[in-house]
Amino acid sequence: MDNAKDLFGYDSLAFFGKVNASISHELKNVMAIISETAGLLGDLSDMASTGTPIEPDMLKSCTNSIIEEIQRGFLTIRQMNRFAHSTDSPAEAVNLMDVLDLTINLSGYLSFSGKVCLNPCKNVSPTVSTCPFLLQAIVYQAMVYAFKTTGPGAEITISLQARDDGGWRILFSGFSGSEFQVFPDVATSAMATSIGVAIRFDKTDDRLVLDVPLAIESTTNPSVAPGI
Amino acid sequence: MEAENTINILLVDDEVKFLAAVSDRLTIKGFSVTTATNGEAAIEAASKGGFDVAVVDLQMPGTDGAQVLKILKQKHEFIEIIMLTGHATVDSAVECTKLGAFKYLEKPYDFDKLIEVLKDAYHLRMQKKFENNAKRMAAIQKLSMGQSPLGILKALAKFDDGKK
């Protein structure tokens, strides 16, 4: 846990900053659409007041667009709030599906993001005691490298698998070997080690494998990943 | 706005709703607007010609706004380009200026400001075209003295090539 606390340093701050910048970009886009659509409603009102007939469907389309963008803004703010609170504690019980779901949504704000599909984990709650912030940073970085290497056409599938020791295995499909010439970088490796997450590439199935221990304290040798 | 004075705008953004709202508003104000949802489509649309000003979002998947700016400025000498961004940084503003952007606006912006900038960009484009035509006319006059018609055409082609 002390290692996790230590890792709340520059690299973590850089990750926090990067995510917040992408969220602010998303919110600015939302505001820009609301601003322009409200402006369009104003223009249409001006036209109507000078006798130009205005189609009711056009007004309805504008108001629907504003409502949808406000909902999009709320959703973005909710995610920003969840992300901000992930720094509350260096270790806590977290549902991995929640962590993955949030991280996927956050990576979706990147201009170069691709598609990510999270396979549901049926009839079981994949809970571990870990540092949610650092785990998010590791998953996020993995997706960033995949998107940057493959481009907007990238398609990643993420699934969870229970391990015999009570921990969980996060499997990323859709990666190629080229991502692993650059991932994990030094900072991501250090974050993974600090919370006992082992990162490796399964060449047989072309999958990125993250082994997450049941609890940070239970980690004995985090740098060695058990075999699949 | 008279038809012959209509300003032809190429509007490029990956946010479809933003594109639709701005396009409608500019059309109401008398501009002629063509939209593109990505960089590749923008370059393709511009290749058909006829645009006075392009308004390009900086951050787009695939060919981003800076690449679109660079390519359009290389291929279309007189097009003026206004960059839009939801994530303004000094670095990106400097880069866009170096690449020849007319203006750099941060979202959300004031619509009246966009109209003002579009008109300024159009006037600059017309001024550059006028100056180019004046130079060309001066070159024709100079070349036509003592030249055969074919010689004049060859010399003019050389003059135009030298500008690329």
Side-chain angles (χ1 to χ4, degrees), chain A residues 105-154:
Chain A
N105 283 315
L106 295 175
S107 71
Y109 298 139
L110 295 165
S111 61
F112 51 87
S113 71
K115 286 183 186 165
V116 185
C117 171
L118 177 60
N119 284 336
C121 205
K122 289 173 187 168
N123 306 323
V124 62
S125 175
T127 305
V128 296
S129 173
T130 190
C131 174
F133 179 72
L134 292 179
L135 186 58
Q136 280 167 191
I138 296 162
V139 173
Y140 187 89
Q141 281 303 106
M143 289 194 280
V144 164
Y145 279 111
F147 295 153
K148 277 190 173 168
T149 312
T150 317

Side-chain angles (χ1 to χ4, degrees), chain A residues 17-33 72 76 80 108-112, chain B residues 13-15 57-61 84-88 106-108:
Chain A
K18 190 186 283 183
V19 170
N20 275 299
S22 69
I23 291 171
S24 71
H25 179 252
E26 175 78 359
L27 287 173
K28 277 189 174 184
N29 274 331
V30 168
M31 299 301 281
I33 293 170
R72 178 180 163 194
T76 307
M80 184 171 73
Y109 298 139
L110 295 165
S111 61
F112 51 87
Chain B
D13 201 304
D14 60 322
E15 287 280 353
D57 186 35
L58 188 58
Q59 285 194 309
M60 292 186 289
L84 294 181
T85 181
H87 188 59
E106 189 176 356
K107 287 182 190 172

Side-chain angles (χ1 to χ4, degrees), chain B residues 5-162:
Chain B
N5 291 332
T6 300
I7 301 176
N8 292 303
I9 295 168
L10 175 62
L11 188 60
V12 192
D13 201 304
D14 60 322
E15 287 280 353
V16 178
K17 284 184 190 171
F18 177 80
L19 211 52
V22 179
S23 171
D24 284 349
R25 294 193 77 189
L26 289 173
T27 304
I28 289 170
K29 298 284 180 193
F31 294 89
S32 168
V33 185
T34 300
T35 59
T37 55
N38 58 59
E40 291 82 1
I43 293 161
E44 169 70 24
S47 70
K48 291 167 189 161
F51 294 108
D52 299 306
V53 186
V55 181
V56 182
D57 186 35
L58 188 58
Q59 285 194 309
M60 292 186 289
T63 307
D64 67 16
Q67 288 170 287
V68 173
L69 165 65
K70 196 174 175 183
I71 292 167
L72 292 189
K73 286 304 258 184
Q74 276 170 356
K75 291 187 175 174
H76 309 279
E77 187 183 359
F78 297 111
I79 197 166
E80 291 301 334
I81 301 173
I82 297 161
M83 300 304 293
L84 294 181
T85 181
H87 188 59
T89 63
V90 173
D91 287 349
S92 63
V94 169
E95 189 197 353
C96 289
T97 308
K98 276 184 186 169
L99 290 172
F102 176 76
K103 202 89 176 179
Y104 180 91
L105 292 179
E106 189 176 356
K107 287 182 190 172
Y109 52 81
D110 179 45
F111 187 71
D112 289 338
K113 175 75 182 170
L114 176 65
I115 300 278
E116 186 189 313
V117 171
L118 278 169
K119 287 179 178 172
D120 287 348
Y122 177 72
H123 288 141
L124 180 66
R125 168 183 158 85
M126 297 311 284
Q127 189 186 329
K128 282 183 184 171
K129 283 188 87 170
F130 177 80
E131 284 169 3
N132 181 65
N133 283 342
K135 276 184 194 166
R136 203 161 183 271
M137 286 303 292
I140 290 170
Q141 279 180 342
K142 197 175 168 187
L143 292 169
S144 60
M145 283 186 286
Q147 285 276 359
S148 67
L150 186 62
I152 294 170
L153 286 174
K154 278 181 181 171
L156 267 177
K158 204 174 174 183
F159 172 82
D160 287 338
D161 280 347

Side-chain angles (χ1 to χ4, degrees), chain A residues 33-46:
Chain A
I33 293 170
I34 292 172
S35 168
E36 290 301 338
T37 313
L40 178 58
L41 277 174
D43 295 341
L44 293 172
S45 303
D46 290 345

